[in-house]
Amino acid sequence: MPSFTALYSGSSGNASVVQDGGRAILIDIGKNCKQTCLALEEAGIRPSELSGVFITHEHSDHVSGLRVFLKKYPIPVYGGAATLDYLADNGMVPPGAAMEAIDGRCADVGGFGVTAFPTSHDSVGCCGFRVETEKGHVLSLATDLGTVDDGVYGNLAGADLVALEANYDKAMLMLGSYPYYLKRRIASERGHLCNDDTAGVVSRLARGGCRKFALCHLSQENNTPMQALTAVRQQLWADGWCGQEEEGLGGLELVACRRHSLTGTLEF
C-alpha cells in the first residue's frame, strides 16, 4: 500500500514523504539537511532514493534545508513556476539545480502522477499537491492557505488521504502575545486555516467519501494537537457523522501531525 509520513510538521518546519513500491518523493524541506536526513532514515528512506522534491512555496519553514540538501543529493525539484524562479533568483538552490514547473498539469515523477494546484497564501505562488499512484490511490496535500475555495476543494475531494492545514485556534491566536498585524495576517484569506475552518472542510470531505485525514502545520504558539482534533471531532458529531465518544469517528482515521518528529505512517 502507498503511504504518507510527516517527517515534521508545524510553524518551525514542514516535510513529508509519499512512498509506494519502493519509490518515494519528498514534499518540502523546512528544517536543515541533517535533521531531514535523520528523519528520512527513521522513515526507512535513503535521500538518494528520492525521485523528486516538491516545494509548496518559498517560506523558510518549507525550504530552509533545500540548498544544502540539493548540494549533497542533486534531486530534481518541482513546484510552481513563480516559486522556482524565486528560489533560483535568491540563491535558495545551488546553481544549475534541476527544476521543473508543474503549474496546472500532472507530472509523472517516479511513478507518481503529481498535480500542483494554487492555494491562497501570502507568498509568490503557493500550491498544494495531488499525488496519484499507478494503481489509482490518491493523496491530496494543502498545508498553507487562508481559505479553501472551490478549486482547492476540488483537488482535495475524493482523495484516499487528505493532509490539510489546521494552523491555529481562534481564541489562542487572538488572546496570545503576537502583535496585532501578525494576528491579522494569520487570520486573513492569505494566511492560515483555523481549526474551525479545517473542521468544516474535513466534515464536508468525509460526507463526500474521504476517510483518512492528517492535520498539518499546527502552530506551536496558537494551537495544540488536542485543540485541533477536538474541533474536527466536534464538527463531525454536530453534522451527525458519529456518536460522541472518544474513538467514535464512524470509520474515519484522523491524526494530528507532530511538530518535531515523525508522525506514524498512514497508508492510503
Side-chain angles (χ1 to χ4, degrees):
M1 289 285 289
S3 64
F4 168 82
T5 305
L7 302 181
Y8 45 82
S9 178
S11 304
S12 56
N14 299 271
S16 55
V17 174
V18 184
Q19 301 179 72
D20 185 36
R23 297 164 297 187
I25 57 174
L26 179 66
I27 301 177
D28 287 334
I29 176 168
K31 292 187 179 183
N32 66 46
C33 179
K34 181 178 180 179
Q35 289 175 287
T36 303
C37 288
L38 288 173
L40 285 167
E41 181 180 348
E42 188 177 347
I45 301 168
R46 295 186 182 90
S48 59
E49 296 173 343
L50 294 168
S51 298
V53 180
F54 290 78
I55 300 299
T56 57
H57 65 297
E58 80 283 359
H59 288 169
S60 62
D61 58 327
H62 295 261
V63 300
S64 64
L66 182 62
R67 179 182 172 85
V68 173
F69 186 85
L70 292 177
K71 289 177 73 173
K72 295 186 68 174
Y73 308 101
I75 298 165
V77 180
Y78 301 86
T83 296
L84 299 185
D85 287 345
Y86 185 95
L87 296 177
D89 293 344
N90 288 274
M92 301 169 79
V93 293
M99 297 194 292
E100 182 176 340
I102 59 170
D103 305 75
R105 68 179 182 86
C106 183
D108 185 355
V109 180
F112 297 97
V114 186
T115 302
F117 56 90
T119 58
S120 179
H121 192 55
D122 56 353
S123 64
V124 296
C126 193
C127 69
F129 297 110
R130 186 175 175 95
V131 182
E132 184 170 354
T133 71
E134 290 178 337
K135 293 186 177 180
H137 298 273
V138 176
L139 158 80
S140 284
L141 175 145
T143 57
D144 286 72
L145 64 171
T147 186
V148 176
D149 60 20
D150 289 344
V152 172
Y153 183 83
N155 279 284
L156 301 177
D160 298 287
L161 169 61
V162 173
L164 181 63
E165 173 175 75
N167 181 254
Y168 67 96
D169 172 82
K170 286 181 179 179
M172 289 181 70
L173 175 66
M174 293 306 163
L175 296 175
S177 61
Y178 280 8
Y180 180 64
Y181 80 87
L182 183 54
K183 293 178 181 181
R184 286 191 61 187
R185 176 247 167 187
I186 291 169
S188 75
E189 289 196 349
R190 287 176 54 80
H192 293 279
L193 285 181
C194 69
N195 292 341
D196 293 342
D197 289 341
T198 299
V201 175
V202 168
S203 183
R204 183 182 173 193
L205 289 167
R207 292 194 300 273
C210 297
R211 292 294 177 266
K212 296 186 178 185
F213 300 91
L215 305 182
C216 303
H217 209 305
L218 276 66
S219 168
Q220 185 162 333
E221 293 78 14
N222 302 307
N223 209 357
T224 68
M226 184 58 69
Q227 291 283 101
L229 290 168
T230 297
V232 175
R233 288 178 179 136
Q234 289 180 341
Q235 186 66 59
L236 290 166
W237 295 334
D239 291 343
W241 183 260
C242 49
Q244 292 197 31
E245 62 270 3
E246 181 67 22
E247 299 301 327
L249 293 178
L252 302 183
E253 189 170 351
L254 177 67
V255 301
C257 295
R258 298 171 182 169
R259 296 188 185 105
H260 303 296
S261 60
L262 262 67
T263 302
T265 295
L266 294 172
E267 294 185 340
F268 64 94

